[in-house]
Amino acid sequence: MTPDRRRAHQHRERVDLPEWMRHPAPRRRTLARYVDDLIESWPALRSVRRAVWHWRGRVRWSESHPNLVAVLSFVVAAVLGTALVAGAYYLLALAISGEY
């Protein structure tokens, strides 16, 4: 092997990190961390948490049928819009005719 083939790349010289990066401060104990430790310490709560994670990770019906959801929402919006315009026209016609 040639000397060029043995070294694939040049290494950069070492960079000294600041003290706060080499030895970071310990994590603060917050209420969320206490609750997390409590949940993880009880097997029943831990299984409930994992069940909720599994449930939240499921494929929702609207995600598996996006076209059908789009069509249904368009139909609902069109019907509501038509009803609102027709109702406003009806009220305007009553106000003009004086029967209101």
Side-chain angles (χ1 to χ4, degrees):
M1 284 185 125
T2 63
D4 294 336
R5 199 107 162 104
R6 275 184 267 155
R7 281 197 302 174
H9 64 279
Q10 295 285 337
H11 288 285
R12 290 184 288 169
E13 60 185 74
R14 182 182 168 129
V15 176
D16 287 329
L17 296 174
E19 183 65 26
W20 63 270
M21 290 180 82
R22 280 189 275 134
H23 305 290
R27 298 189 322 181
R28 293 185 307 159
R29 297 299 298 171
T30 61
L31 179 62
R33 292 192 199 278
Y34 284 120
V35 170
D36 188 48
D37 290 343
L38 175 72
I39 290 174
E40 288 298 320
S41 65
W42 288 358
L45 291 177
R46 188 172 46 243
S47 64
V48 168
R49 170 188 268 182
R50 304 224 189 280
V52 168
W53 285 348
H54 180 71
W55 178 78
R56 288 183 66 195
R58 75 193 190 286
V59 176
R60 292 170 176 80
W61 186 84
S62 61
E63 292 172 353
S64 60
H65 300 83
N67 294 334
L68 186 60
V69 172
V71 168
L72 289 176
S73 59
F74 173 76
V75 168
V76 168
V79 168
L80 286 176
T82 303
L84 288 173
V85 169
Y89 179 74
Y90 177 73
L91 290 176
L92 181 65
L94 281 179
I96 290 175
S97 68
E99 295 179 19
Y100 183 62

